Amino acid sequence: MEFCSYAKLPHLFAPIVHDVDEAVETLKYLELEMDRRHSLIKEKGFDDVIEFNKHSEERKRFPFVVVAVDELSEFMICLRSRFESIVNRLAKIGKNVGIHFVLATSRPCSNVITEGLKMNISCSLAFRVVRKIDSYAFLNEAGAEGLSCRGDALLKIDDGSLIGLHTPLIEEEMIRHVVKAATMQYPGRKTSMEFNQRNKKVPIKNEEILYDRAVDLIRKTNRVSIMYLQRNLDVGYNTVARILSLLEERGVIGPVNSDKPREILINRHVQN
């Protein structure tokens, strides 16, 4: 509910999501966007989004995207395996293409803040916790249990250094003023509407037709990628995501393997 104040911001990548299943679907869409950016940046011969944007026309530059998760424990309790695998991949590869994460939780324990998440999200900010073991969950060391409750925090940066901070109190009225100013300054940007328009659900019957077309395309060309299917099937990112999930579930292609292309299994079955 804390994010409701930001719902009218005109530059949201996607609408604010309150349901964990919807949130995972949004992250899947973002994973496709990450792969699209990665392919284009690699194709142009650049190492990261900063270099790509420096050498691109303004309309072709990639905006930076920050994903904010208000209560991490809800995802880890309800959809742990699905959520953690997507977030780990997005956090590992996404920073090079301009996609970043802020994960927040009031439950500092090892089954919420896992080693995989800490490995891929290298900076941690901890406010006061009750026990020393809770400090270790956040920072891998003690210290947060000794903080005051009035804005004192410890920041662990990616080189392992620990920095003491005093954070400001930002009240609801201040947030409303900022949102109002941003809405007035950028009245014409409707990214959320574009997101909704591009991600209208395709009827199941049509989805099966698209699946059959995708299988036929992969069998003939021995190629599969997000951009390739999108271009040849003429569909949006979310539809391609569901088609790829079906292809993987039914043994046509292999799972995502870091930044390597997916393995194509269907022709192997035909040969055998």
Side-chain angles (χ1 to χ4, degrees):
M1 295 303 292
E2 285 82 354
F3 288 158
C4 289
S5 301
Y6 303 99
K8 293 182 180 178
L9 280 172
H11 55 274
L12 294 178
F13 178 81
I16 291 170
V17 178
H18 302 285
D19 177 80
V20 289
D21 287 302
E22 282 184 40
V24 169
E25 288 304 311
T26 303
L27 289 175
K28 284 183 179 178
Y29 171 85
L30 190 60
E31 189 176 23
L32 287 172
E33 172 65 8
M34 178 188 74
D35 289 335
R36 183 179 78 90
R37 290 184 177 200
H38 185 268
S39 296
L40 283 171
I41 291 169
K42 197 173 178 182
E43 186 181 297
K44 297 293 183 181
F46 298 114
D47 293 327
D48 56 39
V49 69
I50 295 173
E51 287 300 312
F52 177 86
N53 284 349
K54 275 183 188 175
H55 297 87
S56 300
E57 300 172 34
E58 187 172 355
R59 64 187 181 84
K60 293 184 179 179
R61 292 172 190 160
F62 292 133
F64 285 86
V65 177
V66 178
V67 182
V69 177
D70 177 47
E71 186 44 74
L72 177 62
S73 62
E74 288 188 32
F75 291 93
M76 299 305 278
I77 290 167
C78 301
L79 298 167
R80 178 176 181 141
S81 59
R82 287 171 61 197
F83 175 78
E84 190 175 4
S85 62
I86 294 172
V87 169
N88 278 335
R89 185 165 183 266
L90 279 164
K92 183 179 179 181
I93 303 170
K95 54 192 172 186
N96 287 332
V97 300
I99 298 171
H100 303 275
F101 272 87
V102 177
L103 306 178
T105 184
S106 56
R107 295 184 58 183
C109 49
S110 58
N111 63 340
V112 173
I113 308 168
T114 64
E115 289 302 316
L117 288 175
K118 285 196 284 189
M119 190 182 303
N120 290 305
I121 300 176
S122 53
C123 295
S124 305
L125 179 72
F127 293 99
R128 185 178 183 273
V129 294
V130 176
R131 302 171 302 168
K132 189 182 288 188
I133 193 170
D134 298 333
S135 181
Y136 272 92
F138 271 117
L139 305 171
N140 281 338
E141 59 183 282
E145 74 284 356
L147 296 170
S148 77
C149 294
R150 296 182 178 275
D152 282 352
L154 288 173
L155 174 67
K156 190 159 197 174
I157 58 178
D158 51 10
D159 67 359
S161 303
L162 203 61
I163 302 169
L165 300 173
H166 188 78
T167 59
L169 172 65
I170 302 174
E171 296 182 333
E172 187 68 25
E173 188 63 26
M174 297 168 71
I175 293 171
R176 282 198 289 269
H177 280 307
V178 171
V179 170
K180 185 178 179 180
T183 305
M184 291 173 68
Q185 189 172 352
Y186 306 103
R189 301 188 65 181
K190 300 292 181 184
T191 312
S192 295
M193 289 177 64
E194 290 170 11
F195 177 91
N196 288 332
Q197 196 68 25
R198 286 185 300 189
N199 290 285
K200 286 183 177 177
K201 193 164 178 74
V202 176
I204 291 174
K205 183 180 178 182
N206 292 352
E207 201 165 88
E208 285 296 328
I209 293 169
L210 287 171
Y211 169 82
D212 290 338
R213 284 177 57 196
V215 171
D216 191 48
L217 192 65
I218 292 166
R219 184 182 282 120
K220 287 177 179 175
T221 63
N222 208 37
R223 289 178 61 190
V224 62
S225 72
I226 294 157
M227 291 179 67
Y228 182 68
L229 289 182
Q230 219 186 318
R231 188 168 60 248
N232 284 277
L233 299 178
D234 193 25
V235 291
Y237 298 150
N238 252 20
T239 304
V240 170
R242 289 192 292 273
I243 298 298
L244 284 171
S245 294
L246 284 173
L247 290 166
E248 186 178 330
E249 285 171 17
R250 298 175 185 180
V252 177
I253 59 175
V256 172
N257 183 15
S258 187
D259 58 347
K260 296 179 182 177
R262 286 178 182 262
E263 187 179 8
I264 296 171
L265 307 174
I266 189 169
N267 288 337
R268 180 191 296 175
H269 295 326
V270 171
Q271 288 168 4
N272 290 342

